[in-house]
Amino acid sequence: MEILNGKELSEKIKNDIKLEVEQLKAEHKIVPHLAAVLVGDNPASQSYVRNKVRSCEKVGFESTLIRKDESITEEELLDIIQDLNDNDGVDGFIVQLPLPAHIDEQKVTLAISPEKDVDGFHPINFGRMTQGLDCFLPATPYGILKMLEEYQIKTEGQNCVVVGRSNIVGTPMSILLSRKGYPGNATVTLTHSRTRDLSSILKTADIIIAAIGIPNFISSDMTKEGAVIVDVGINRVEDASRKHGYRLVGDVDFDSYMDKSGYITPVPGGVGPMTVTALLLNTLKSAKLKI
Ligand code: GUN
C-alpha cells in the first residue's frame, strides 16, 4: 500500500498559508482570526480544539478559545455565538461538537452566520456546496478532496463507496465526489447502518471513505485489491501499554492492508491533520474577503 500522508501534506499547505498570511499582513494589515467555542470537557474535543488553536499559531493566525462549563445554558451559548457573529475582528468561528444533551446542536448551527461558518455546517453553506456554488466546504470533506488532488487519485468514473451518512462527513463527501469536476465525477454509493450486504458493495469500490466511528470495521478481505482507502475514523481504544492508557485507531484495520496494493490513509496522520488544515484554508478565505 502507498500511504496518503496527511500529516506531511498538511505541513506543506500550512507553510503556504503562512507565507500568504505574511503577505496579507504586509500589504493589507490583515491577520486572519479564528475563534473556537468548546463546551464541557470531552477529552477528544479538547484535543481537537487544542490542535486547531496550535495550528492557528503555526500559520500566524490570531486565535481565540472560548471555554465554557457544560452547565452553560443554550441561551448563553447562543449569546456567545451572536457576539462572535457581530465581532468584525473574527473572520470565522467554530462550535466544537458534540454539545451537551440539553443544547440543541441544530439550533446552534443555524445561529452561526454563514459568512463566518468556517466549518461549513450551516444549511446555507451546505446548500451552496450541493449546487456547486462558492461556499465554505465542511472541513473534513474539504481536507479529503485536497488529499485526493495532491496524490492525483483518479475519481472520474470510479466507484466510490462512502460508509456513514453523518451531516459533517459522509453525506457531504457523497455529494462532493459525485459533483462535476475534479475531484468528482465518481459514481457514489452512500452506505450506513441499515445497508444490506455492505461487504458486496464494498467489493465494487475503487475508493472507500470510511466514516462510521467503529474501530477496525473494514479490513482488506472486504475490499478490492488496489482500492483507495480513506479512513476518517478516530477511535480511542484501551491500551495499557500507552502513556494515556489508550491508542487511536481508525475505522479501517490498517495492518490488514500491509501487503496489498492501492492507497491508504493512516490514523493518526491521515485525514485528521487535513481537517485542521482545511479549517485554516476556510478562515483564510474568509479573511481575504475583507480586501
Ligand atoms: N466534531 C467532530 N468533528 C468536528 C468538526 O469538524 N467541527 C466541529 N465544530 N466539531 C466537530
Side-chain angles (χ1 to χ4, degrees), residues 217-236:
F217 183 72
I218 293 170
S219 52
S220 62
D221 55 314
M222 298 160 75
T223 62
K224 190 160 85 175
E225 183 76 29
V228 177
I229 316 283
V230 177
D231 189 353
V232 184
I234 306 178
N235 308 292
R236 290 182 176 208

Side-chain angles (χ1 to χ4, degrees), residues 48 52 94-98 119 121 139-140 168 275:
Y48 297 152
K52 290 170 186 177
I94 64 153
V95 179
Q96 188 67 26
L97 304 178
D119 254 334
F121 291 173
T140 299
I168 65 180
T275 296

Side-chain angles (χ1 to χ4, degrees), residues 94 101 136 199 246:
I94 64 153
F136 293 120
S199 297
Y246 70 88

